[in-house]
Amino acid sequence: MKKGLLFLIIFLFTYINLYSQFKKNIKVNALSFELGKTGLIYNLNFDHRIKNKNIGYRASIGSNFAKYLNVFSAAGGGYFLIGKKKILLEIGIDAGLLNVDEISDDQRGLTLIYPDYSIKTFYSSLNAGVRIYSQKSLFRAGVSPGIIKDGFLPGGYISFGFLF
């Protein structure tokens, strides 16, 4: 599953990158590092904004690299941007897979992950935040509450990436 998802992300990244080379001077793709969503999880995001539109989509894959509570997440979704300048309001929806694997129940580290117990589930989340574009970079920050089968999943994120 992880290899297939990674292959899909690499394929989309390559296809969109090659396609966007035909349209010089317009940077619609971003590759960014994100901290957050369901706690202290490190995500790698690929983001594509549709040219001359205020809509786009993204795919992300992440982990927390903890010792006693391992997390893997993979998600994809779309977003709508409100505004016409470099600072925009972002509203979006994501759907993804969340796999939390508790290795040891008698040892705890500082993980800051929710949920903090073993679970493998699909989840959906809403995103609301600010998106700031510069000449070559992208900054995002916001909240992303979600729903899993056990209930509510609080979340927030901060992200920085490069446009290409």
Side-chain angles (χ1 to χ4, degrees), residues 29-136:
N29 299 319
L31 192 60
S32 61
F33 177 75
E34 179 181 74
L35 182 64
K37 291 289 187 182
T38 61
L40 191 58
I41 296 180
Y42 312 104
N43 296 304
L44 183 62
N45 288 332
F46 172 75
D47 188 295
H48 178 76
R49 181 176 174 182
I50 297 175
K51 181 184 155 193
N52 298 328
K53 304 277 185 195
N54 276 353
I55 59 173
Y57 57 89
R58 76 176 141 261
S60 68
I61 189 166
S63 181
N64 69 332
F65 305 111
K67 188 172 183 179
Y68 302 117
L69 187 67
N70 296 327
V71 177
F72 170 77
S73 68
Y79 58 85
F80 178 73
L81 302 173
I82 300 170
K84 296 189 184 280
K85 302 283 184 185
K86 301 277 185 187
I87 301 174
L88 304 163
L89 175 65
E90 175 184 346
I91 307 293
I93 187 166
D94 289 343
L97 170 71
L98 178 65
N99 185 11
V100 179
D101 189 22
E102 185 179 27
I103 304 297
S104 175
D105 61 351
D106 63 343
Q107 297 173 328
R108 297 276 182 202
L110 183 63
T111 57
L112 300 175
I113 302 295
Y114 183 81
D116 61 353
Y117 51 88
S118 294
I119 188 172
K120 185 174 186 177
T121 186
F122 288 101
Y123 73 95
S124 61
S125 66
L126 297 174
N127 301 317
V130 65
R131 179 180 280 239
I132 302 171
Y133 284 98
S134 70
Q135 189 76 17
K136 296 180 181 178

